[in-house]
Amino acid sequence: AQTVTQSQPEMSVQEAETVTLSCTYDTSESDYYLFWYKQPPSRQMILVIRQEAYKQQNATENRFSVNFQKAAKSFSLKISDSQLGDAAMYFCSMEYGNKLVFGAGTILRVKS
Amino acid sequence: EAGVTQSPTHLIKTRGQQATLRCSPISGHTSVYWYQQALGLGLQFLLWYDEGEERNRGNFPPRFSGRQFPNYSSELNVNALELEDSALYLCASPLGFRDSWSSGKETQYFGPGTRLLVL
């Protein structure tokens, strides 16, 4: 079974600082895709970043980057220069069988 | 390009009633995915429709059903509502991304959701 685990229910970061959200997963597949989604209070799910498992290079999208460790099955999200608008629930997910499997989520609070 | 749309935004029903939720995918795209986000249970895959056919379903009872229309919009029907069906129901539409190696994977983009409350 494919599982995604987010061990941090809640994290806090000071505005302009850096925070890392953790995610581990389990799969027997060799070709898969990993995603981070953000869900602000509006409840709209927004794609943050995507990583293809066969690519060794870590994905980056502006202030967002991932640390993808395939052997360890780890996929953490780093947010640099945190902004108040980054406050949201963050979900790590993995594509499996044309559907997404999600972790439980991490609430990120940003302090001004 | 229009995004994923869902209606209604909120729905209040009583136990035993039926609920119908609607979703329109990204214009021109044929697949629709439904997910349930219930308090304490996280996001769970419900159903996948493509080209008018149900392609996959999650671990939900048969009273969760749906269909996809020729214009690729979709309905999710929940019969015999129970209190625990109260949740945010999210619809997603995939956009493909391809490169020289992959078989053509897709990224799912979500609609704003329908919040169902069962009293």
Side-chain angles (χ1 to χ4, degrees), chain B residues 9-82:
Chain B
T9 54
H10 294 81
L11 191 57
I12 301 175
K13 294 286 186 179
T14 55
R15 197 167 46 182
Q17 285 188 316
Q18 178 193 45
T20 298
L21 289 65
R22 297 178 178 83
C23 170
S24 290
I26 295 170
S27 179
H29 292 259
T30 64
S31 274
V32 169
Y33 294 78
W34 288 95
Y35 293 86
Q36 182 198 63
Q37 187 177 20
L39 195 63
L41 294 178
L43 276 150
Q44 295 183 287
F45 167 72
L46 251 171
L47 288 160
W48 170 33
Y49 289 94
D50 184 52
E51 298 279 359
E53 300 284 334
E54 181 181 302
R55 303 294 183 181
N56 198 3
R57 70 179 289 129
N59 188 24
F60 283 84
R63 58 191 186 81
F64 286 84
S65 66
R67 54 180 173 167
Q68 188 176 33
F69 299 100
N71 66 354
Y72 304 121
S73 65
S74 175
E75 267 184 7
L76 173 67
N77 296 296
V78 189
N79 295 318
L81 283 165
E82 299 178 3

Side-chain angles (χ1 to χ4, degrees), chain A residues 91-112:
Chain A
F91 291 97
C92 177
S93 68
M94 176 173 64
E95 182 188 11
Y96 170 64
N98 285 99
K99 65 179 184 288
L100 293 176
V101 177
F102 289 89
T106 297
I107 297 171
L108 178 65
R109 303 193 191 281
V110 181
K111 302 175 185 175
S112 59

